[in-house]
Amino acid sequence: MISFEPTEDQKLMVESVAGFARNTLRPRIREFEKERGVSEAVRKTAHELGLGLVALPESVGGAGLGMTTAVLLEEEVSWGEPSAGFAFGGPGAFGFAVLELGTTEQAQAALASFTTDGGHTRFGAVAWGEPKANRERPGFSTTATKTADGWKLDGTKAYVVNADRADRFVVFAQVDPAAGWRGLGAFLVDKGASGLSILPRETTLGLDAVSFGGIALAGVVVPDSARLLGTSRTDFDAALVRFFARHALLVAARGVGLARAAFEVTREYVDGRKAFGKPIGHFQSVAFTIADRAMDVDAGRGLVWRAAAAWDAYDAGDKNARDEKECLLRSAHAIAFVHEAAMRCGDDGVQLHGGAGFMRDYPVEKLMRDAKQIGLCGMTAEHADQLAGAIALGAPVDPGLVLPTPETQNAFV
Amino acid sequence: MTIEFSLSKKQLEMREGIRGLAKNVIRPQALAWDRAGGIPEEFLRNMARLATSMGSNAMRSGLGDETDEEKQDAEKKRGPSGSNLFGVLASEELAWGDGGLLLCLPGPGLGGPPVRGSGTPEQKKRFFGMFEDLDGSPLKWGAYGLTEPNAGSDVSGIRTSCRKDGRHWILNGRKCYITNGARAVWTVIFATIDPALGRAGHRAFVVEKGTPGFSVGRIEDKMGLRASETAELVLEDCRVAEENLLGGEEKYVTKEGFMTAMKTFDNTRPLVAAMACGIGRGAYEYACDFVKDNYVLGRPIPRYSAIVERLAKVGRSLEAARSLTWRAAWMADHGIANAKEASMSKAMAGQAAIKACIEAIEICGAEGSIAKDHQLLEKWFRDIKVYDIFEGTGAIQRIVISKRLISDLKSF
């Protein structure tokens, strides 16, 4: 069946989250921006609405509502405040990382603290990026060295979302230096681990309420049980790509919400603003731009839905390689398209506002900054295109090429 | 209901059937048809029989789905028809085989929707009746005559005149770029009783071949879709019987006449969008295969990342257009007004597919511009441009869309 109609349950959830976005988030975007975060009361409400655990399966303590429900709700939240999906707290990218890379037992244990009362006060984070490319060999400079009963981690990780808020990290490090980007390992690390320090939070172009930072690891020792292995070496690399695609698809859903917000405030503005005796929306150059951006929003949403539906089918099925490719390809299409579409909506939004668009009295300048920033979160359009291209051409999905790395282009994860 | 994008068993069977046919039978002949400027009748007859056996009504009642009223009646009986989705899925596959073939298939074509939507029961019986027998000889086509030398996108500017004379109407004017115009057994011709009346003055007639004063002008020589016939039609004191006024006199008490002309497009634009997706996909797949064969992907990477990125952009643009196309068709199947969404699908698909064809040639380099069997890039490049032009240019689609987004916007 091809159908564009959400279930009745989904409609109800969308309605309530849309109300929350309209009444609680949108009126306070400048407050969140100034405070560089979302206040605890708002985060608490978000967790009471169940946001944050939507896409995680019940087997690991999630709501088990699936990716389709998750993208529907992420769009609404982001329409209200594009930072919110990252800043609400909860496992975030960490959740997908342990889900894809860990065993069920590891995932259950790692996610337990997020599913109990007070979950909104806890953040998870993924320490993936690094400040500089390794000049000696492909792969990360951060290393994991085997000890008698565990691993010792050394290095600096950068571009980490919620680094200073997180209670737990998935840290990526080089396990096999000779194997390049196919020699990575993933480790669960608590923020209190000896030798771990949190680097200062960065000031960024947009998404001001999201914390972007990094961590330094100096001889951090973790037990063997902290290593997320996947089911095999080959599966680890595949799981790594699945983690990125899943997470970046949710970011793309936020991009749709952002694009829609920029489109809507601009549509309203060109309706009301008069020049030469008529609303500026009655001039073709303006009206056609509005039409083009409406197509961007709708097509972006269509691609995101299609990818989310593919993930739900994959999760419900026997997880074969063909379905996996379908998920990765659809996600890559959605991610790349939406990143660019959201940027166009932000850019044209400011442009059609004219001088007013540049002023902080209007929300559209924030949305334009947020659009560029969100395009650097999860996966960039460039990497999503490399992923889609590799699948379309039947080339091997090489983590070093299709994922954002310091060798090519870092992204915030 | 839920959000999902898997095809039903029936849809999959249909798609596999047409895919095989397109690959093994249609594609190998496409270049020859393009050069000959037409497709042999026997082939068209077989294709028409096949399409009918697959459940298509296009050979009997033309392109597009039933009108809203017909659909509402039908829906009460059997739920959403799914025929629009079926149509866009089939159109994409057929166009992947050859875009020209689709336009050459016999049947009322674009003339079907206005007769279906506005014709009296007697007219429907008379004008569709002649399409019942596919085995009869020769094959028959219908056509749609709206565009004039001086009025294309601005339909309200048509100048072909009509005046009542006893039990006849006298028509004078010229119609151009009419698909299957020369061979059509009848053409729906739009004319005006008085240009000063604007839309209220419009009348639609079914003008039959052989009507005194009705003749074929030039057959156009085109950039692409050369297998499809595009003709000029000339009306010189053409005497049309009053029973051929579409819908009868009472239909024109309101502005209905003009709306008849426009209604045609809400149902057919997603079909055109799907055709564009099919041609664009053909070019995209060809370029992917070419890169696989010629770029030796095992070599050190970022070397070809630029090519990979260009292909990926083409792939995702086509997918974006397809999602808008499926949505527009899905809405039509569910009786949801879709004028805006239908225009969105065509506006995006036209551009995405043109870009796909241009990029494919560039990626393949000199080789890509050479015409030979099984290498149709140059043909697709020529064929695809018109998909952003016919049934409303990209600019017209944006007018349709923006009028539904911007308050109180009646015209520019």
Side-chain angles (χ1 to χ4, degrees):
Chain A
M1 274 280 287
I2 292 172
S3 165
F4 288 78
E5 191 173 4
T7 63
E8 292 307 313
D9 283 353
Q10 285 170 336
K11 284 184 198 166
L12 289 172
M13 285 186 271
V14 165
E15 200 179 309
S16 85
V17 174
F20 170 65
R22 189 173 53 247
N23 302 321
T24 308
L25 298 179
R26 179 61 76 79
R28 301 165 79 171
I29 56 171
R30 293 301 185 186
E31 180 190 319
F32 299 147
E33 180 183 22
K34 213 166 143 192
E35 292 175 0
R36 303 184 77 206
V38 174
S39 62
E40 193 187 332
V42 175
R43 283 192 278 129
K44 195 155 185 284
T45 314
H47 280 257
E48 281 160 8
L49 282 166
L51 300 168
L53 295 169
V54 178
L56 293 176
E58 285 172 301
S59 58
V60 298
L65 294 169
M67 291 292 283
T68 308
T69 308
V71 298
L72 288 169
L73 302 184
E74 291 284 356
E75 177 185 334
E76 296 305 323
V77 166
S78 187
W79 175 90
E81 162 58 64
S83 295
F86 301 92
F88 274 158
F94 175 91
F96 284 139
V98 296
L99 179 70
E100 287 292 357
L101 296 164
T103 61
T104 307
E105 293 71 36
Q106 281 176 317
Q108 277 170 347
L111 292 167
S113 63
F114 296 102
T115 57
T116 52
D117 280 350
H120 70 282
T121 61
R122 297 185 194 94
F123 285 81
V126 172
W128 166 265
E130 293 192 354
K132 283 216 162 31
N134 189 316
R135 293 188 177 277
E136 311 301 320
R137 56 165 175 79
F140 282 132
S141 301
T142 299
T143 53
T145 320
K146 190 78 187 82
T147 63
D149 53 356
W151 294 85
K152 186 168 75 71
L153 305 172
D154 289 280
T156 303
K157 305 301 285 182
Y159 311 109
V160 179
V161 174
N162 291 325
D164 60 345
R165 295 166 175 167
D167 300 277
R168 310 199 82 183
F169 298 88
V170 170
V171 175
F172 286 90
Q174 201 71 29
V175 171
D176 179 358
W181 294 107
R182 292 187 185 276
L184 305 183
F187 302 88
L188 286 166
V189 182
D190 283 338
K191 77 165 171 192
S194 167
L196 186 148
S197 51
I198 308 294
L199 301 174
R201 180 177 172 176
E202 308 283 358
T203 305
T204 52
L205 168 70
L207 297 179
D208 295 75
V210 185
S211 175
F212 297 101
I215 58 173
L217 304 129
V220 173
V221 176
V222 294
D224 272 329
S225 61
R227 185 170 176 196
L228 304 171
L229 265 172
T231 53
S232 66
R233 179 71 241 173
T234 347
D235 179 66
F236 181 86
D237 291 341
L240 186 58
V241 177
R242 286 199 303 272
F243 150 60
F244 266 93
R246 248 189 227 270
H247 170 57
L249 179 63
L250 282 204
V251 175
R254 290 170 196 163
V256 173
L258 190 166
R260 190 180 107 209
F263 165 78
E264 284 180 8
V265 298
T266 306
R267 195 208 63 76
E268 282 163 28
Y269 185 82
V270 305
D271 250 5
R273 173 76 180 179
K274 287 203 168 92
F276 308 101
K278 58 181 181 180
I280 60 172
H282 290 207
F283 292 94
Q284 275 190 344
S285 69
V286 173
F288 284 15
T289 305
I290 292 286
D292 282 332
R293 299 296 74 84
M295 285 191 261
D296 269 345
V297 174
D298 286 11
R301 184 185 296 116
L303 292 176
V304 166
W305 284 10
R306 188 139 186 228
W311 279 110
D312 286 340
Y314 171 81
D315 288 336
D318 60 0
K319 311 207 171 185
N320 62 55
R322 200 168 132 258
D323 288 354
E324 181 188 62
K325 278 207 172 100
E326 172 82 2
C327 292
L328 298 181
L329 180 66
R330 300 288 166 218
S331 299
H333 282 155
I335 294 158
F337 185 93
V338 170
H339 281 342
E340 289 184 0
M343 192 62 244
R344 287 192 291 266
C345 289
D347 184 11
D348 282 342
V350 170
Q351 190 67 26
L352 293 183
H353 277 70
F358 202 67
M359 304 299 146
R360 296 209 168 187
D361 297 341
Y362 290 85
V364 74
E365 65 80 27
K366 175 184 181 298
L367 293 169
M368 181 178 172
R369 288 185 291 114
D370 288 351
K372 184 81 290 179
Q373 192 78 39
I374 212 168
L376 299 172
C377 293
M379 282 173 95
T380 61
E382 288 76 9
H383 284 106
D385 278 342
Q386 292 301 324
L387 175 57
I391 294 171
L393 293 170
V397 176
D398 178 351
L401 183 64
V402 304
L403 300 182
T405 73
E407 266 179 24
T408 52
Q409 182 190 33
N410 267 305
F412 296 96
V413 181
Chain B
M1 271 302 168
T2 183
I3 293 169
E4 60 172 312
F5 303 95
S6 53
L7 304 192
S8 69
K9 191 161 170 283
K10 191 178 150 216
Q11 288 166 337
L12 277 172
E13 280 171 9
M14 174 272 289
R15 195 174 70 174
E16 287 316 302
I18 301 183
R19 271 191 185 172
L21 193 70
K23 182 161 173 268
N24 303 317
V25 181
I26 299 173
R27 276 251 179 114
Q29 305 183 71
L31 200 58
W33 296 336
D34 185 65
R35 287 183 177 153
I39 300 174
E41 279 218 3
E42 270 321 293
F43 187 82
L44 292 177
R45 191 189 307 275
N46 288 336
M47 286 298 299
R49 280 191 189 124
L50 188 70
T52 305
S53 74
M54 285 175 139
S56 168
N57 286 321
M59 312 307 143
R60 291 200 197 90
S61 65
L63 290 174
D65 196 24
E66 303 142 314
T67 63
D68 293 345
E69 300 98 75
E70 282 169 337
K71 190 152 39 214
Q72 276 162 15
D73 288 347
E75 265 188 42
K76 272 178 212 149
K77 281 181 222 140
R78 56 175 160 79
S81 65
S83 60
N84 281 282
L85 263 172
F86 200 84
V88 298
L89 292 169
S91 296
E92 176 173 337
E93 299 307 323
L94 267 178
W96 183 92
D98 184 50
L101 170 64
L102 247 162
L103 302 185
C104 288
L105 288 177
L110 277 178
V115 174
R116 224 158 46 206
S118 303
T120 64
E122 182 275 326
Q123 287 172 333
K124 284 187 216 180
K125 193 160 171 254
R126 188 152 46 102
F127 297 121
F128 288 140
M130 54 180 84
F131 291 98
E132 282 299 326
D133 181 16
L134 266 176
D135 296 322
S137 190
L139 287 175
K140 297 190 188 73
W141 289 264
Y144 182 83
L146 180 65
T147 301
E148 299 182 359
N150 293 311
S153 296
D154 180 11
V155 177
S156 60
I158 57 168
R159 289 291 173 272
T160 295
S161 66
C162 58
R163 66 182 164 82
K164 194 79 192 275
D165 178 32
R167 302 203 55 196
H168 284 80
W169 287 83
I170 313 295
L171 273 60
N172 277 290
R174 301 176 95 79
K175 295 288 176 182
C176 60
Y177 311 145
I178 311 304
T179 299
N180 295 324
R183 57 188 174 190
V185 287
W186 51 254
T187 304
V188 176
I189 296 281
F190 292 84
T192 175
I193 52 170
D194 178 0
L197 291 175
R199 294 167 183 196
H202 288 172
R203 298 291 181 271
F205 300 89
V206 181
V207 182
E208 293 169 81
K209 194 172 197 161
T211 304
F214 184 45
S215 61
V216 175
R218 52 181 272 163
I219 306 286
E220 303 292 347
D221 193 13
K222 306 189 297 296
M223 175 186 185
L225 291 183
R226 296 175 64 87
S228 162
E229 172 191 281
T230 306
E232 179 189 35
L233 298 176
V234 182
L235 301 120
E236 286 169 317
D237 289 329
C238 173
R239 290 180 68 80
V240 178
E242 66 177 0
E243 56 268 24
N244 282 19
L245 174 66
L246 199 57
E249 297 271 2
E250 62 275 18
K251 195 90 188 169
Y252 300 91
V253 176
T254 61
K255 283 185 183 172
E256 192 81 17
F258 183 76
M259 294 322 288
T260 302
M262 289 292 92
K263 250 188 166 171
T264 303
F265 295 121
D266 290 351
N267 280 334
T268 54
R269 278 174 179 158
L271 288 178
V272 176
M275 295 174 203
C277 286
I279 296 172
R281 195 184 93 215
Y284 167 66
E285 289 173 356
Y286 190 93
C288 284
D289 289 343
F290 183 91
V291 169
K292 274 191 251 181
D293 286 348
N294 294 281
Y295 281 69
V296 194
L297 285 158
R299 283 194 192 145
I301 20 164
R303 191 161 171 183
Y304 303 120
S305 62
I307 297 290
V308 172
E309 183 172 328
R310 285 172 78 174
L311 280 172
K313 278 187 175 164
V314 168
R316 69 167 134 106
S317 302
L318 290 171
E319 202 58 63
R322 190 174 291 117
S323 83
L324 292 183
T325 305
W326 286 6
R327 179 180 67 164
W330 177 85
M331 289 172 81
D333 281 339
H334 286 78
I336 305 167
N338 73 341
K340 181 180 78 182
E341 289 76 11
S343 282
M344 281 183 169
S345 70
K346 187 175 173 301
M348 188 170 270
Q351 289 194 338
I354 290 168
K355 183 79 177 160
C357 292
I358 294 173
E359 287 283 276
I361 288 231
E362 286 181 16
I363 287 169
C364 298
E367 175 78 4
S369 68
I370 294 171
K372 52 189 177 194
D373 285 347
H374 301 288
Q375 184 168 318
L376 302 168
L377 282 181
E378 68 81 28
K379 176 177 178 295
W380 293 328
F381 181 100
R382 290 184 288 108
D383 285 348
I384 196 61
K385 184 61 208 169
V386 78
Y387 288 80
D388 200 27
I389 297 172
F390 62 15
E391 295 213 50
T393 62
I396 288 297
Q397 308 307 333
R398 283 164 179 81
I399 289 176
V400 173
I401 298 161
S402 57
K403 277 184 182 174
R404 285 159 179 83
L405 291 169
I406 289 167
S407 307
D408 307 320
L409 178 58
K410 298 281 181 279
S411 65
F412 287 103

